[in-house]
């Protein structure tokens, strides 16, 4: 269908038809044809490495992929308590609250056309999936007494590639090096699990995250513009 892929999971989760299309060359893109075929969808995600200026295309994210090779990290002694999340020992409500903090720059939060708490529902679903280890092989948590003050999820992309999924630090403990500690621990655990490379996806507008990842030696691999095209 004109290159518009129906997204089964997104359509089911949001309760309306969602599609996706990638545009490689703006000059070869037929907007009139797109407008006709996109009528079957309420929302189409449009991915492009170039800037697009078509009607009804709202730029909601500049998606940045950063990566580096894993290696055997030697961690410095510190007072942080680091553990893997366990439902028997840790409070999942604290994890969910932090998960929402991790997504403030998310296109699902930025796009005001979502009006049914889709952002909150999506991130809660993602953290529940992580706890159930659907794609996640570890959830690293940093504890203050017994409270979770930071976390990161580690996902398996393929046999050789691990990915940082969600990462957040409690507002009261930012600037204390917890983010760097979580990343170092992520690299270490990914290396020990046999992954050769680790990547992370964030938003270019998320300056604190970009600074953190580049400070910890992640390099930009690619940048994609993501547009939302709605039929409202």
């Amino acid at each position: 269908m004109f290159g518009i892929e129906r997204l089964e999971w997104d359509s089911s989760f949001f309760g309306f038809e969602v599609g996706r299309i990638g545009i490689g060359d703006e000059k070869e893109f037929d907007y009139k044809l797109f407008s006709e075929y996109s009528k079957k969808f309420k929302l189409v995600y449009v991915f492009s490495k170039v800037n697009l200026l078509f009607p009804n295309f709202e730029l909601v994210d500049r998606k940045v992929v950063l990566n580096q090779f894993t290696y055997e990290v030697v961690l410095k002694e510190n007072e942080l308590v680091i553990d893997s999340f366990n439902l028997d020992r840790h409070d999942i409500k604290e994890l969910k609250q932090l998960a929402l903090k991790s997504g403030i720059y998310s296109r699902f939060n930025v796009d005001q056309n979502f009006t049914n708490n889709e952002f909150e529902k999506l991130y809660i679903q993602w953290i529940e999936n992580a706890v159930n280890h659907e794609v996640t092989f570890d959830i690293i948590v940093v504890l203050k007494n017994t409270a979770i003050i930071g976390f990161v999820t580690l996902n398996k992309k393929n046999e050789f590639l691990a990915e940082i999924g969600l990462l957040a630090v409690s507002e009261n403990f930012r600037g204390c090096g917890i983010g760097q500690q979580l990343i170092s621990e992520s690299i270490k655990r990914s290396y020990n699990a046999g992954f050769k490379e680790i990547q992370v996806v964030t938003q270019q507008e998320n300056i604190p995250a970009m600074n953190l990842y580049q400070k910890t030696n992640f390099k930009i691999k690619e940048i994609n513009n993501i547009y939302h095209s709605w039929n409202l």
Side-chain angles (χ1 to χ4, degrees):
M1 185 194 297
F2 182 63
I4 300 178
E5 172 193 3
R6 181 181 184 272
L7 299 179
E8 176 66 33
W9 192 93
D10 297 60
S11 298
S12 175
F13 184 81
F14 291 128
F16 51 78
E17 291 297 292
V18 181
R20 180 190 188 280
I21 188 172
I23 300 177
D25 188 341
E26 180 180 7
K27 295 180 180 179
E28 296 180 1
F29 177 66
D30 190 329
Y31 179 74
K32 290 184 178 180
L33 196 58
F34 169 84
S35 298
E36 181 64 29
Y37 279 101
S38 67
K39 290 178 181 178
K40 296 186 177 182
F41 301 93
K42 184 174 180 178
L43 171 61
V44 178
Y45 308 147
V46 182
F47 287 71
S48 174
K49 292 186 182 300
V50 298
N51 294 326
L52 302 174
L53 297 174
F54 294 109
N56 200 36
F57 278 23
E58 179 185 0
L59 179 63
V60 289
D61 188 6
R62 294 191 189 276
K63 177 182 175 182
V64 184
V65 181
L66 305 98
N67 68 341
Q68 66 173 291
F69 291 109
T70 62
Y71 55 94
E72 189 171 7
V73 178
V74 178
L75 299 176
K76 298 179 180 179
E77 291 287 337
N78 60 65
E79 297 180 354
L80 295 176
V81 177
I82 298 176
D83 199 357
S84 289
F85 180 82
N86 187 302
L87 279 170
D88 294 329
R89 300 194 305 272
H90 308 125
D91 189 347
I92 193 171
K93 291 181 181 179
E94 295 175 350
L95 200 63
K96 290 178 178 180
Q97 290 170 357
L98 276 177
L100 294 177
K101 297 292 184 182
S102 74
I104 60 172
Y105 291 92
S106 165
R107 57 193 171 101
F108 300 101
N109 190 40
V110 170
D111 189 340
Q112 297 302 305
N113 289 308
F114 288 109
T115 58
N116 194 31
N117 295 322
E118 286 92 347
F119 160 70
E120 290 86 354
K121 293 174 183 177
L122 183 62
Y123 272 69
I124 293 301
Q125 184 65 58
W126 280 347
I127 203 65
E128 289 177 350
N129 290 348
V131 170
N132 293 328
H133 298 291
E134 293 194 9
V135 295
T136 301
F137 66 88
D138 205 347
I139 303 175
I140 305 169
V141 293
V142 177
L143 306 172
K144 177 71 172 180
N145 297 323
T146 60
I148 299 173
I149 61 172
F151 84 97
V152 60
T153 63
L154 293 177
N155 304 328
K156 177 181 178 180
K157 294 295 289 183
N158 59 49
E159 183 180 357
F160 305 102
L161 178 62
E163 180 177 70
I164 291 174
L166 302 178
L167 185 153
V169 175
S170 173
E171 293 175 352
N172 295 330
F173 293 92
R174 291 175 186 171
C176 301
I178 294 174
Q180 293 185 53
Q181 187 72 20
L182 283 167
I183 290 177
S184 295
E185 190 73 27
S186 297
I187 295 171
K188 172 187 174 182
R189 295 193 185 193
S190 296
Y191 176 84
N192 290 340
F195 296 99
K196 305 298 183 185
E197 187 178 342
I198 185 169
Q199 74 174 26
V200 63
V201 179
T202 191
Q203 302 84 22
Q204 191 175 60
E205 289 74 16
N206 190 347
I207 302 301
M210 289 292 296
N211 289 341
L212 174 63
Y213 293 127
Q214 291 180 300
K215 187 176 182 179
T216 50
N217 297 317
F218 279 86
K219 306 298 181 184
I220 295 176
K221 181 180 180 181
E222 63 181 32
I223 300 176
N224 281 291
N225 299 322
I226 303 179
Y227 300 82
H228 284 175
S229 178
W230 289 87
N231 287 312
L232 298 174

